[in-house]
């Protein structure tokens, strides 16, 4: 019973989303524009961290 309720809610939500997409894309004032993204540098920046990758521990002999 509970599975049928969840499945029914999923179907109802899916139908609502599909109808909403059709309505919003069907409007004439709906335009899509793609612009260049500014603020992202093309060169990579390497910064030295304060941590070393090596561990200084006494060697066992």
């Amino acid at each position: 019973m509970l599975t049928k309720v969840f499945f029914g809610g999923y179907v109802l939500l899916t139908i609502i989303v599909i109808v909403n997409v059709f309505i919003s894309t069907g409007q004439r004032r709906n335009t899509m524009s793609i612009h260049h993204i500014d603020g992202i540098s093309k060169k990579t920046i390497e910064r030295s961290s304060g941590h070393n990758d090596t561990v200084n521990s006494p060697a066992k002999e």
Side-chain angles (χ1 to χ4, degrees), residues 1 13-14 22-24 27-28 30 34 39 48 50 53 57:
M1 176 67 185
L13 184 64
T14 302
F22 275 114
I23 289 173
S24 65
Q27 296 172 351
R28 289 195 175 268
N30 187 12
I34 300 172
S48 63
D53 290 337
S57 63

Side-chain angles (χ1 to χ4, degrees), residues 2-18:
L2 190 59
T3 304
K4 291 180 182 179
V5 171
F6 282 123
F7 182 71
Y10 174 76
V11 169
L12 182 65
L13 184 64
T14 302
I15 291 172
I16 290 171
V17 167
I18 290 173

